[in-house]
């Protein structure tokens, strides 16, 4: 079977049920086996407390229709107030979207507590590898200082405009694999009003010229260049925000 074998999922993406349906169909039709897939999911910010981590993992496993995850990542190093599944799922960033001034409500949960709960998931057989997203070298060093099971993966935004070379080099020294998301540039920031379309690597004159010369899209040119760039630097470009 041709195609992607790494499925980069997350509670926050709101589509794990649909992904699970696709996986089940592919397996039932004999296109692929579960062992040939590498499925990642991510712990959302509202579930960082040790008693909530297994609940969140079980929900993702149920939605995906799987018995285990190949990789479970802490999505952000930000702990927010717990949101029950029945109240809202996925919870999103703000605690009460209907409030006069919607805002995030933080919860005082240390990363060490959350990491310990992820390690227990490994011991319980629900997760085979654990890791982090969106942390810098200080955050990674902190986790490494108390981890019994060290992070297997760090997923970060990484593209030609945000190469994070020092962080990637440190990960190599510490034995942590790197997955880069938004290899074409983070277009979601444009939708949020945090960036201008011209800030995208796809708008680079050299990329546009190469696309026109070869009769392909700017995204195809940028993807080829990023994959080449990533392979030279030991980074997998298959992640999501």
């Amino acid at each position: 079977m041709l195609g992607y074998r790494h499925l980069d999922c997350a509670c926050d993406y709101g589509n794990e049920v649909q992904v699970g349906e696709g996986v089940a169909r592919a397996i039932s039709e004999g296109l692929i086996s579960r062992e040939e897939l590498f499925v990642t999911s991510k712990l959302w910010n509202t579930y960082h407390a040790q008693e909530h981590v297994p609940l969140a993992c079980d929900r993702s496993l149920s939605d995906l229709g799987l018995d285990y995850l190949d990789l479970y990542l802490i999505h952000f190093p930000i702990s927010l107030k717990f949101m029950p599944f029945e109240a809202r799922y996925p919870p999103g960033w703000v605690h009460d979207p209907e409030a006069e001034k919607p805002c995030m409500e933080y919860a005082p949960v240390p990363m060490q507590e959350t990491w310990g709960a992820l390690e227990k998931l490994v011991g319980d057989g629900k997760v085979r590898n654990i890791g982090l997203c969106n942390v810098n070298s200080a955050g990674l060093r902190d986790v490494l200082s108390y981890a019994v099971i060290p992070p297997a993966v760090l997923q970060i935004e990484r593209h030609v405009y945000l190469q994070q070379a020092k962080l990637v080099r440190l990960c190599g020294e510490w034995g942590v694999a790197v997955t880069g998301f938004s290899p074409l540039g983070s277009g979601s920031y444009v939708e949020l009003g945090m960036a201008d379309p011209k800030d995208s690597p796809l708008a680079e004159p050299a990329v546009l010229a190469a696309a026109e010369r070869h009769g392909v899209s700017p995204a195809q040119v940028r993807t080829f260049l990023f994959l080449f760039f990533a392979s030279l630097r030991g980074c997998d470009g298959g992640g999501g925000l």
Side-chain angles (χ1 to χ4, degrees):
M1 174 185 169
L2 298 177
Y4 290 103
R5 303 293 182 92
H6 176 197
L7 303 179
D8 188 75
C9 309
C11 154
D12 189 53
Y13 300 162
N15 63 356
E16 289 192 321
V17 170
Q18 291 78 12
V19 171
E21 291 171 351
V23 168
R25 179 177 175 182
I27 292 175
S28 68
E29 294 179 359
L31 298 176
I32 199 167
S33 68
R34 169 65 182 93
E35 292 71 27
E36 292 176 297
L37 294 172
F38 191 94
V39 182
T40 297
S41 190
K42 305 181 187 74
L43 177 75
W44 188 241
N45 307 337
T46 50
Y47 308 126
H48 277 208
Q50 60 184 355
E51 66 269 24
H52 299 147
V53 170
L55 300 179
C57 181
D58 287 347
R59 174 63 185 260
S60 284
L61 286 171
S62 176
D63 287 351
L64 290 165
L66 301 176
D67 297 323
Y68 68 90
L69 294 169
D70 296 282
L71 177 64
Y72 200 39
L73 303 172
I74 297 175
H75 207 152
F76 287 93
I78 301 169
S79 180
L80 298 179
K81 186 176 179 180
F82 175 66
M83 176 64 63
F85 296 152
E86 59 272 18
R88 191 171 67 250
Y89 190 89
W93 284 94
V94 300
H95 188 72
D96 182 6
E98 305 302 321
E100 183 177 351
K101 294 182 178 180
C103 63
M104 294 186 290
E105 293 190 16
Y106 297 99
V109 182
M111 182 66 83
Q112 186 169 2
E113 176 181 327
T114 307
W115 190 257
L118 260 70
E119 291 177 327
K120 188 174 187 303
L121 294 178
V122 176
D124 292 341
K126 296 180 180 180
V127 172
R128 297 195 170 177
N129 299 279
I130 51 179
L132 302 161
C133 298
N134 303 302
V135 303
N136 58 18
S137 59
L140 180 57
R141 190 187 301 272
D142 173 64
V143 173
L144 286 169
S145 72
Y146 47 72
V148 176
I149 302 174
V153 174
L154 172 61
Q155 186 176 119
I156 53 174
E157 181 179 351
R158 191 161 187 260
H159 46 75
V160 68
Y161 288 171
L162 185 62
Q163 299 185 24
Q164 306 209 60
K166 293 181 179 179
L167 180 55
V168 172
R169 186 180 70 247
L170 283 174
C171 285
E173 294 174 359
W174 295 339
V176 180
V178 175
T179 298
F181 68 78
S182 296
L184 304 181
S186 192
S188 59
Y189 294 150
V190 176
E191 297 176 7
L192 295 171
M194 299 169 63
D196 190 274
K198 69 176 185 299
D199 297 328
S200 170
L202 299 179
E204 280 283 351
V207 172
L208 296 175
E212 183 176 0
R213 183 165 61 251
H214 294 284
V216 297
S217 70
Q220 287 174 298
V221 173
R222 186 70 259 164
T223 299
F224 171 78
L225 292 175
F226 177 80
L227 292 174
F228 178 71
F229 160 79
S231 68
L232 292 177
R233 292 162 174 78
C235 176
D236 168 43
L241 179 62

